[in-house]
Amino acid sequence: MIHINKPPDPRTKYMRDKAAKQIKDDCDAYDLDSNAYHSTEDNRKKLPVVESIYKANGVKDALILANYVEGDKKIGKCYFCESHLPRRDLHIEHFHPKNGFKKSRDSNEEYPGYHWLAYDWDNLLLGCSECNGIKGTIFPIVDEINRVRSHINKNNLNAENSLLIDPTEVNKDPRNHIRFLDDAPNPQDRKGQKTIEVLRLDGGEGGKERPFLKEKRHKLFHEELCFRKKFLEKAKEYMDDVEIQLLAAEARDYLAKAKLPEAEFSSMAQDFLADWDIDS
């Protein structure tokens, strides 16, 4: 997982005003009968979610372009697992679940969710369908006593201390929490461990829950990164061989690009090549 620099909210003033009005209407409705929204019964009251507000024109494009580099290069990958995304399989993920939440995978859904953040630009992330589905509404925090259950206490949101990494959090590097040992994510603390667990970033139990993710990382690591690194080490013995040195230059270029933010699984490449001088 890498840090994502999100641009300003791309929506028009009309859409931002519409979001503000909807949030106010939802909060006013909640205040009139708050207990009814916390009910677990089937007839509990539900706050509407107007998808057109958070899926307004330009929102997905802005999320794709987040942390862009020179020219027309784009991140174009899931904010969580770093898999490349096809343009038509983009899922806008709410970091704080909008409708309801679960304290853990095995716990019951609790209502309402963080409804006042349903249209908040800072709460929107770009995820692949797998991460979106696996995360669902799971949102663990350090201590449940600090859980913010309504907009009334929204100013206490920072005190929740989420156990999930937010890759867009300003001045917070996700790599302080998760590093890589070869092709496997390696937690550096409780937050990293919980994020790996909730999103199944290690493939899940026995690698069976997300086999495609695990296989893609494994293939990239062994067939591309390791292969090229070993080739470069061997190429030092043939410094006068023009053909081998041309192939070595291509290998260096590949490894340098593999570390860039827009590269698939770039955090894995960064850790693998951290103590190795590509140009040596």
Side-chain angles (χ1 to χ4, degrees), residues 96-110:
H96 291 81
K98 59 187 181 299
N99 292 316
F101 68 90
K102 296 173 71 173
K103 297 172 184 175
S104 66
R105 190 171 302 280
D106 298 326
S107 65
N108 295 324
E109 191 89 3
E110 297 187 39

Side-chain angles (χ1 to χ4, degrees), residues 61 108 117 162:
D61 286 338
N108 295 324
L117 297 176
S162 167

Side-chain angles (χ1 to χ4, degrees), residues 12-272:
T12 63
K13 183 179 182 301
Y14 167 76
M15 290 305 295
R16 287 194 293 271
D17 289 348
K18 191 173 181 181
K21 182 181 184 305
Q22 187 63 51
I23 293 170
K24 183 180 184 306
D25 289 346
D26 291 346
C27 292
D28 288 346
Y30 174 91
D31 290 340
L32 287 174
D33 192 6
S34 60
N35 289 333
Y37 291 98
H38 286 269
S39 172
T40 57
E41 302 299 326
D42 291 339
N43 63 349
R44 68 177 176 83
K45 285 189 175 181
K46 300 178 183 180
L47 293 165
V49 175
V50 185
E51 290 191 3
S52 62
I53 296 177
Y54 70 81
K55 290 183 177 180
N57 186 38
V59 169
K60 283 187 178 180
D61 286 338
L63 291 172
I64 293 170
L65 287 167
N67 214 357
Y68 67 89
V69 291
E70 294 180 8
D72 60 354
K73 295 178 183 177
K74 306 171 183 178
I75 283 293
K77 62 182 185 180
C78 175
Y79 285 15
F80 294 116
C81 72
E82 293 191 71
S83 294
H84 277 150
L85 294 171
R87 285 292 297 230
R88 60 184 179 183
D89 188 29
L90 304 179
H91 290 253
I92 293 180
E93 163 69 24
H94 288 77
F95 183 68
H96 291 81
K98 59 187 181 299
N99 292 316
F101 68 90
K102 296 173 71 173
K103 297 172 184 175
S104 66
R105 190 171 302 280
D106 298 326
S107 65
N108 295 324
E109 191 89 3
E110 297 187 39
Y111 306 97
Y114 297 79
H115 60 88
W116 66 98
L117 297 176
Y119 316 107
D120 191 318
W121 171 245
D122 291 337
N123 195 42
L124 305 181
L125 307 177
L126 191 67
C128 66
S129 57
E130 269 202 325
C131 280
N132 189 285
I134 289 172
K135 175 179 177 289
T137 60
I138 303 170
F139 195 73
I141 62 175
V142 171
D143 189 340
E144 279 298 321
I145 198 171
N146 294 322
R147 175 83 65 178
V148 177
R149 297 301 307 270
S150 80
H151 66 280
I152 298 171
N153 300 315
K154 63 182 181 182
N155 291 334
N156 297 329
L157 206 60
N158 287 336
E160 275 196 340
N161 200 359
S162 167
L163 282 173
L164 292 184
I165 299 169
D166 179 356
T168 69
E169 191 172 1
V170 179
N171 296 326
K172 297 291 179 67
D173 188 350
R175 285 166 49 71
N176 290 332
H177 307 288
I178 298 177
R179 292 280 174 155
F180 272 82
L181 283 177
D182 295 339
D183 62 338
N186 182 39
Q188 303 299 294
D189 56 17
R190 185 183 177 191
K191 194 164 190 169
Q193 180 63 54
K194 184 60 69 172
T195 299
I196 292 171
E197 175 189 317
V198 169
L199 292 165
R200 302 298 199 241
L201 296 179
D202 57 356
E205 187 176 353
K208 296 178 180 178
E209 293 176 86
R210 300 192 69 177
F212 187 56
L213 172 64
K214 190 169 183 178
E215 288 168 9
K216 279 205 302 180
R217 279 202 314 249
H218 183 82
K219 183 176 181 178
L220 174 65
F221 183 79
H222 290 281
E223 297 183 17
E224 304 292 348
L225 301 179
C226 286
F227 174 78
R228 284 175 167 81
K229 183 180 178 182
K230 289 178 181 177
F231 176 80
L232 284 174
E233 291 170 342
K234 189 67 176 176
K236 293 177 182 178
E237 300 175 15
Y238 303 92
M239 297 302 292
D240 296 329
D241 189 313
V242 175
E243 185 175 349
I244 288 180
Q245 293 310 310
L246 285 174
L247 292 173
E250 291 179 4
R252 289 190 192 93
D253 182 61
Y254 179 92
L255 293 176
K257 289 179 178 177
K259 296 169 62 177
L260 297 177
E262 68 271 16
E264 192 169 40
F265 311 127
S266 60
S267 56
M268 179 179 71
Q270 289 169 21
D271 286 333
F272 176 60

